[in-house]
Amino acid sequence: MHRSFHIRPLMAVFALVLASIGGGIVAGYMNGARPSPLQATVSADSLAHPGSGELVTFAPIVKLATPAVVNISTTTVVKAQRGQRGQGGNNPLFNDPFFRQFFGGNMGPESQPRDHRAQALGSGVIVKSDGYILTNNHVVDGATDVKVYLADKREFKAKVIGTDKQTDIAVLKIDATNLPVLHMSTAAKPAVGDVCLAIGDPFGLGQTVTMGIVSATGRAGLGIEEYEDFIQTDASINPGNSGGALINTRGEMIGINTAILSGNGGGNQGIGFAIPVSLASNVMNQIEEHGKVSRGYMGATVQQVSPSLAKAFGLSANTGVALTQIEPGSPSAKAGLKSGDVVVELNGQPVTDVDAFRLQIAELGPGATAHMKLYRDGHSMDATVSLAQRPTDEALAKNGGGGNGPGNGAKSALEGVSVETVTPDDAQQLGLGPSAKGVVVTDVDQSSAAAEAGLQRGDVILQVNHQAVATAAEFENDVRQSNGKGTLLLVNRGGGTLFIAIESK
């Protein structure tokens, strides 16, 4: 299995690769008698210490943990694209006997592509003794047959209980009891520098254990999943490790191995990612209880508050998230929230970044109450939002005058920017509503402060310093009133809105 991801410019030389293998057979499992249920953990104090004259080893922990980590083999029927005959596709020339003679006559119906079966390998973790297994969604996505192989070589056909693509979690069930279980420690908070072990079946070699440390926590914004809160580790994670366990030195599972960041040559580069058990267990519990995952929804798009935005909003620190768009009739609209509000606290906890805020709202769930502290026009205020059920991605997707520049008196922050009043035709081409108003950016001088701040040709400016603009003339007037100071724009880009703070050079 392979998936591709959009990567931040900083990571342009890398490619994120899911740690699963695209084909093969199961091989090389552990020998020995059937393991008993894992009910005890090993204290790190029981391990020998350097200088004691004894061997330093994690063997006691590994011996207890590995029986609960399984290999998963999937089969998927890949549908062939019909109507493509031999090498000629649908080109009518290849139906002509004259042309067919040059290709050995292999152009008829008998050369029609056929469906084929693709096999893939991954890993999983037994989390309940009656056969519940946690793994990645991408390990079983689209599979027509799922088999689980235990460390004692027993084989079971697995049923997919439920999946959640937005976090890449899947729950499987096999018909077995009294199985070894790996404890999911939601209380254990992995810290940077903690020693950790990754267990799985890389490349179909058989169960393998690698060691490293927790390199970072709370990794997000990678574009791997919609909701991200990854543990980063340098413990080797390779194709086939997806769905396997990341454990600490007490033998507790702290994460589900999911993806790696590989260089141009591919393979492990010491940067792997695991879904923390706090997130995985929440998803698993909802799948078991309701068959699906429900998430909280406030109906507002949010943007990280950068230093330049903080200055434009009059904030003393660049913290919190700015609300860029409020969906009409949404919980946010009903609570009185407005575009331009900056949320700095959620349920008494500081809001640090966009990804963490989105995850917190989602995990609160529909019907929950979100108490927020926010800033509006430089003043602190409180708001209470009663969250609704998050709509489907499809539903969210559905909801989603000539050559005028700033003029002689409108230099400073927006010098080098040319705009035109948005016409109904412009609105249609830009994917805006029929009644949309604003000015579209027709040109941005690449040496200007606006270009440096990220303003682009095709952006539709909706507000200047919190004032709505409907025409190029209004835009010029509002820019003039900036008096040479920085300017805060609310723009529509590709159907989404964001703030751009432009400082005068």
Side-chain angles (χ1 to χ4, degrees), residues 409-432:
K411 293 185 178 179
S412 69
L414 285 171
E415 183 176 7
V417 177
S418 298
V419 301
E420 291 182 1
T421 302
V422 171
T423 65
D425 288 341
D426 293 334
Q428 183 177 2
Q429 292 180 12
L430 293 167
L432 306 174

Side-chain angles (χ1 to χ4, degrees), residues 237-391:
I237 297 174
N238 287 290
N241 273 120
S242 275
L246 187 70
I247 67 173
N248 61 21
T249 54
R250 290 190 294 271
E252 301 166 323
M253 182 167 68
I254 59 174
I256 296 291
N257 300 324
T258 298
I260 61 174
L261 190 68
S262 73
N264 294 331
N268 175 63
Q269 300 290 321
I271 300 179
F273 301 101
I275 301 169
V277 294
S278 56
L279 177 56
S281 62
N282 177 283
V283 171
M284 181 185 72
N285 291 339
Q286 289 198 57
I287 288 175
E288 285 189 65
E289 294 175 12
H290 309 293
K292 64 178 183 178
V293 179
S294 297
R295 294 187 167 90
Y297 175 73
M298 62 181 288
T301 55
V302 294
Q303 178 182 348
Q304 187 71 44
V305 174
S306 63
S308 58
L309 280 181
K311 183 177 179 181
F313 281 119
L315 303 176
S316 57
N318 54 305
T319 185
V321 296
L323 307 184
T324 62
Q325 183 175 343
I326 306 297
E327 189 70 25
S330 67
S332 292
K334 293 176 182 178
L337 299 185
K338 297 181 179 180
S339 174
D341 289 345
V342 178
V343 181
V344 294
E345 284 186 13
L346 174 61
N347 289 341
Q349 299 298 315
V351 174
T352 56
D353 62 72
V354 167
D355 295 300
F357 180 77
R358 291 180 65 250
L359 182 59
Q360 288 172 317
I361 291 293
E363 290 191 324
L364 283 174
T369 300
H371 299 282
M372 301 180 186
K373 179 180 179 182
L374 53 89
Y375 281 90
R376 178 182 296 170
D377 299 328
H379 300 288
S380 175
M381 60 182 293
D382 296 321
T384 301
V385 181
S386 297
L387 302 179
Q389 167 71 49
R390 184 185 186 276

Side-chain angles (χ1 to χ4, degrees), residues 1 19-21 26 29 69-74 120-124 135-136 138-140 147 149 200-202 204 239-244:
M1 301 176 188
S20 58
I21 188 168
V26 178
Y29 294 95
V69 181
V70 303
N71 172 262
I72 297 174
S73 174
T74 64
L121 295 178
S123 303
T135 186
N136 286 138
H138 76 263
V139 170
V140 299
K147 291 183 180 179
Y149 299 84
D201 185 7
N241 273 120
S242 275

Side-chain angles (χ1 to χ4, degrees), residues 434-479:
S435 60
K437 295 181 180 179
V439 295
V440 60
V441 177
T442 58
D443 188 48
V444 182
D445 185 342
Q446 293 305 301
S447 64
S448 67
E452 185 177 337
L455 191 66
Q456 300 177 7
R457 187 169 179 262
D459 285 346
V460 177
I461 300 174
L462 306 174
Q463 294 180 2
V464 176
N465 293 332
H466 301 295
Q467 299 297 317
V469 293
T471 66
E474 290 182 6
F475 172 78
E476 291 182 19
N477 182 62
D478 289 341
V479 171

Side-chain angles (χ1 to χ4, degrees), residues 75-376:
T75 302
T76 304
V77 176
V78 180
K79 297 290 184 181
Q81 295 184 2
R82 304 302 179 186
Q84 295 185 358
R85 299 184 176 182
Q87 302 173 34
N90 291 320
N91 193 324
L93 291 177
F94 288 94
N95 292 325
D96 190 314
F98 175 78
F99 286 98
R100 289 176 59 182
Q101 64 180 314
F102 297 104
F103 295 91
N106 187 27
M107 308 302 298
E110 66 279 359
S111 65
Q112 187 82 288
R114 298 179 179 179
D115 296 346
H116 66 279
R117 297 166 68 85
Q119 291 185 309
L121 295 178
S123 303
V125 184
I126 304 172
V127 292
K128 292 188 177 181
S129 61
D130 57 351
Y132 281 89
I133 295 171
L134 200 59
T135 186
N136 286 138
N137 170 71
H138 76 263
V139 170
V140 299
D141 189 28
T144 53
D145 184 65
V146 180
K147 291 183 180 179
V148 170
Y149 299 84
L150 304 189
D152 62 5
K153 296 187 178 181
R154 285 186 294 163
E155 173 186 334
F156 295 89
K157 186 171 183 178
K159 177 183 178 182
V160 179
I161 300 299
T163 64
D164 181 48
K165 292 184 178 181
Q166 294 173 329
T167 55
D168 200 15
I169 289 293
V171 179
L172 311 182
K173 176 72 167 64
I174 60 175
D175 188 12
T177 57
N178 197 32
L179 295 173
V181 173
L182 192 52
H183 176 57
M184 297 177 67
S185 178
T186 56
K189 302 296 183 183
V192 175
D194 285 353
V195 172
C196 57
L197 306 173
I199 309 174
D201 185 7
F203 300 106
L205 292 173
Q207 197 170 75
T208 302
V209 181
T210 56
M211 184 188 76
I213 63 169
V214 174
S215 305
T217 59
R219 284 287 193 229
L222 302 173
I224 303 176
E225 311 302 340
E226 183 165 348
Y227 293 100
E228 299 177 339
D229 186 28
F230 290 117
I231 299 168
Q232 181 182 323
T233 179
D234 65 342
S236 294
I237 297 174
N238 287 290
N241 273 120
S242 275
L246 187 70
I247 67 173
N248 61 21
T249 54
R250 290 190 294 271
E252 301 166 323
M253 182 167 68
I254 59 174
I256 296 291
N257 300 324
T258 298
I260 61 174
L261 190 68
S262 73
N264 294 331
N268 175 63
Q269 300 290 321
I271 300 179
F273 301 101
I275 301 169
V277 294
S278 56
L279 177 56
S281 62
N282 177 283
V283 171
M284 181 185 72
N285 291 339
Q286 289 198 57
I287 288 175
E288 285 189 65
E289 294 175 12
H290 309 293
K292 64 178 183 178
V293 179
S294 297
R295 294 187 167 90
Y297 175 73
M298 62 181 288
T301 55
V302 294
Q303 178 182 348
Q304 187 71 44
V305 174
S306 63
S308 58
L309 280 181
K311 183 177 179 181
F313 281 119
L315 303 176
S316 57
N318 54 305
T319 185
V321 296
L323 307 184
T324 62
Q325 183 175 343
I326 306 297
E327 189 70 25
S330 67
S332 292
K334 293 176 182 178
L337 299 185
K338 297 181 179 180
S339 174
D341 289 345
V342 178
V343 181
V344 294
E345 284 186 13
L346 174 61
N347 289 341
Q349 299 298 315
V351 174
T352 56
D353 62 72
V354 167
D355 295 300
F357 180 77
R358 291 180 65 250
L359 182 59
Q360 288 172 317
I361 291 293
E363 290 191 324
L364 283 174
T369 300
H371 299 282
M372 301 180 186
K373 179 180 179 182
L374 53 89
Y375 281 90
R376 178 182 296 170

